[in-house]
Amino acid sequence: MCSSDLVAFPARVLVAAGCKTLVVTNAAGGVDATLAAGDIVVIRDHLNLLGGSPLRGPNDDALGPRFPDMTAAYDPALRALAAAAGRDVGLTLREGVYAASSGPQYETPAEVRMLRGLGADLVGMSTVPEVIVAMHMGARVLGLSCCTNLAAGISPHKLSHAEVTETADRVRGQFTALLSRILGKLAGEVA
C-alpha cells in the first residue's frame, strides 16, 4: 500500500528544487452528469477522501507551516490562465471540484450520488496529496482533469479501464496542445 506522503514525494522534490508552480493532471470519472467523456476540466477545489494527509506526523518547519491554508489550493490566476490558453487552442474549459478516493475500484452508484451531494464534479484516485505538499511548501498549483468516463450510475454501461484509456488516447492531442499553451504562458510570466 502506498502512503500519501510517498505518493507526494516527487512533488516535494520538484518544489525543493525550485519549482514555484506545479501543474497536475489526471484522468477522472464524471460525477456531474453534464460532463462528457473527453471534457477537460480545470480543478477549482478538491475533496480529500483518501483517509489521510501527506502532512500527518511531525512537521518540518523548514518545508512549511504546521497548518497550511488550503483556501486557494488551485490558484485563481492560474485557473484564469488555463481558461485563456484553452480559448487560444479552441477549447472551452469548465471548472469543477475533484474528489480523491483511494480506489483502485470504481465507485458504486451510491458513492457517486454521495460525491455529487458533497459538491464533487469529478472523481479520481490521485492528485490531492501532491497538491497538499505543494501548497505546504508555498508553490502555486494548477490542476487539470480529463473526464475519461461518466461515473457509475450516470454512465449507461459498465465501467472499464479500456474506456478510460480510449478516451485519453482520443483527446491526447487537445490535452497536449492545451498544456503546451499553458506552459508557454507560464514561461511568459517568468520572462
Side-chain angles (χ1 to χ4, degrees):
M1 178 180 218
C2 285
S3 65
S4 61
D5 55 336
L6 182 61
V7 169
F9 184 70
R12 281 222 184 268
V13 170
L14 285 170
V15 177
C19 174
K20 305 236 184 293
T21 302
L22 183 67
V23 178
V24 294
T25 64
N26 63 54
V31 173
D32 179 343
T34 66
L35 288 169
D39 285 352
I40 299 171
V41 180
V42 177
I43 302 173
R44 178 179 64 247
D45 203 347
H46 71 236
L47 298 167
N48 182 6
L49 304 175
L50 296 171
S53 169
L55 304 183
R56 192 168 283 161
N59 187 60
D60 182 346
D61 292 333
L63 295 178
R66 169 75 275 183
F67 301 104
D69 179 23
M70 298 295 290
T71 302
Y74 302 87
D75 187 280
L78 292 177
R79 294 184 351 239
L81 181 143
R87 287 188 298 275
D88 291 349
V89 297
L91 297 172
T92 301
L93 304 178
R94 295 178 50 179
E95 286 198 356
V97 175
Y98 175 83
S101 68
S102 59
Q105 71 285 346
Y106 295 111
E107 294 71 28
T108 68
E111 290 169 330
V112 170
R113 288 190 304 275
M114 175 196 69
L115 291 169
R116 191 65 189 140
L118 293 173
D121 300 296
L122 301 145
V123 62
M125 303 169 205
S126 65
T127 304
V128 170
E130 297 94 317
V131 172
I132 291 171
V133 300
M135 289 296 296
H136 180 241
M137 296 175 73
R140 299 166 61 199
V141 177
L142 172 64
L144 301 170
S145 284
C146 177
C147 177
T148 51
N149 61 291
L150 294 177
I154 298 171
S155 175
H157 55 273
K158 186 176 177 178
L159 303 182
S160 73
H161 187 65
E163 178 186 11
V164 170
T165 55
E166 286 168 14
T167 302
D169 287 344
R170 179 172 50 85
V171 300
R172 176 179 286 126
Q174 291 177 323
F175 207 88
T176 301
L178 175 64
L179 280 174
S180 293
R181 187 66 180 148
I182 288 169
L183 295 176
K185 286 180 174 288
L186 285 172
E189 282 186 356
V190 176

